[in-house]
Amino acid sequence: MQFDNSLPIYQQVVTAIKKEIAAGRITPGEKLPSCRDLALQYRINPNTAARVYQVLEADHVAETRRGTGTYVREDPSLLSVMRKEMADGYTRSYIRDMADLGYHKDEVLRYLEDWNVPESEPSDLPERT
Amino acid sequence: MLETKNLVKKYGGKTALNDISFPIEQGKTYLLLGPNGSGKTTWMKTAASLSKPTSGSVLWNGTPVGVESRKEISYMPTESFFYPWMIVADVGDYCTDFFEDFDLDQFRDLIRDMELPADAKVKSLSSGMNAKLRLAAAISRKARVYLLDEPLNGIDLVARDAVMKAVISVMSPDTAVVISSHLVEEVESFVSTAIFLRNGKLLEITDTEDLRTRTGKSLADRYRELMQ
C-alpha cells in the first residue's frame, strides 16, 4: 500500500481495513492478522498496528478476544455501516472539491447525471439481503 | 535501555560528535537522519562499542557499553566484514561460533527470502548482495538492540521489500531498532522516532505519527526544513 506520509499512518490503515470490510473482502466474524503480521503486510511499525486495532475496537468494528486475537465483529449490519461510512467519506471530499470549483448542488447533480458507474467493482460484493 | 550521555568523539582535529545526549527505548524503531558527515556512523560504532568516546558515554542498562553490551546489541556496519574465502553459508557458521544468540535457521530463511545463493563466494557478491548478507547476519541474532547502518544502500527496488520485511520482523516490545538511511521516504512508514543530526550536533528528536498528526508533515518534509 502506498501511504501519504504527511497523514497519520494508523488512520490510513484503519481506512484500508474498513474499505476491505465494505467491499466484502473481509467478512464479519473473520480473524484479523496478528499485530506483527499486520505490520509486515502494510510495512508499518508493530506499535502502529496495535494502535490500528485499538481504533477499530473503539469504532466497534473489531473486538479482541483474550488470548486468541482480534476479530471483525459478528454484526450483520457492519457491511452496510462500513459501506455508508466509506461512501460518505468519498462523497464529502468530492463535494468539497466541486464546491471549490464553484459548482452548486443542482449543477453537481446535473453533472453526475452524465456519468456512468462501472459495473465491475460492485459485482465483487456478496449478495445483499 | 541504551542511553547516550554528553557524547563527544574527535578524530584528529575534527569533532564527529559534539556533546549529544538521547535515549533509545525498547519497543521503538529509530531513524538516524542527517547529511553525510553528520555523525550517524560514528554514533553507531560507539554504541556498538567498536569505537571509544573522547568524552561522555553510551550506557547499556546503566553501564558503559563494552564486552557485555556486545552480547545484546547487534550491529550491521556499512562495510563488509567477511573473509574473502567465505561462501554465503560459511557466514552463518562463523556467526554461530561468534554470537551466542545467533539463530542459524533464521539466517538460512533470510538468505533464501533475499535470494542470496548459499554457495556463492562472498568476494564475488555485488555491493547490494553483500549488504543483504550483512543485514541477514545482523538480524539473525536474538538481540535486544539492532543498529543497522544504511541497510538499504545498494539494494535494488525489487529486493527492498524483502529487506524491509526482514527489518520489521525483528521489531518487538522488548527490542529497539536504530536505522540510518538517506532513503527517508522508503522507511518512514515504519519508524516511530527520528533523530536528526547535523555536524555532530543533535538537532531534534521527533515522533513520526505525532509530527504527521500535529503538522500534516512527513519526515522528509521535516528533514528538508531542518537542513536548510
Side-chain angles (χ1 to χ4, degrees), chain B residues 9 28 59 82 129-130 140 148 165 167 175:
Chain B
K9 178 72 188 182
K28 289 191 174 181
L59 304 174
F82 311 117
M129 298 271 260
N130 194 292
S140 293
L148 311 174
K165 281 197 165 161
V167 173
T175 62

Side-chain angles (χ1 to χ4, degrees), chain B residues 49-60:
Chain B
S49 140
L50 298 172
S51 166
K52 288 236 174 289
T54 304
S55 66
S57 54
V58 180
L59 304 174
W60 169 246

Side-chain angles (χ1 to χ4, degrees), chain B residues 136-160:
Chain B
I139 66 179
S140 293
R141 287 183 58 188
K142 296 274 168 271
R144 300 287 310 284
V145 179
Y146 297 87
L147 306 172
L148 311 174
D149 202 353
E150 297 286 356
L152 294 173
N153 258 23
I155 294 183
D156 65 81
L157 209 56
V158 184
R160 269 182 211 168

Side-chain angles (χ1 to χ4, degrees), chain A residues 80-125:
Chain A
S80 57
V81 171
M82 287 301 106
R83 275 168 67 85
K84 172 90 165 67
E85 189 180 319
M86 287 290 125
D88 283 351
Y90 294 136
T91 309
R92 197 174 299 119
S93 78
Y94 169 72
I95 299 284
R96 199 183 300 132
D97 287 344
M98 291 301 270
D100 281 349
L101 288 175
Y103 279 75
H104 296 293
K105 185 172 180 177
D106 52 334
E107 289 173 307
V108 173
L109 289 173
R110 240 182 293 130
Y111 188 83
L112 280 173
E113 283 288 314
D114 294 336
W115 282 76
N116 291 317
V117 178
E119 292 294 330
S120 56
E121 245 348 270
S123 68
D124 291 343
L125 290 174

Side-chain angles (χ1 to χ4, degrees), chain B residues 135-193:
Chain B
L135 180 73
I139 66 179
S140 293
R141 287 183 58 188
K142 296 274 168 271
R144 300 287 310 284
V145 179
Y146 297 87
L147 306 172
L148 311 174
D149 202 353
E150 297 286 356
L152 294 173
N153 258 23
I155 294 183
D156 65 81
L157 209 56
V158 184
R160 269 182 211 168
D161 231 37
V163 169
M164 282 187 279
K165 281 197 165 161
V167 173
I168 291 172
S169 70
V170 298
M171 297 175 188
S172 84
D174 44 34
T175 62
V177 181
V178 187
I179 301 165
S180 79
S181 179
H182 287 107
L183 300 165
V184 189
E185 277 103 342
E186 291 282 349
V187 298
E188 67 175 300
S189 70
F190 62 81
V191 296
S192 40
T193 310

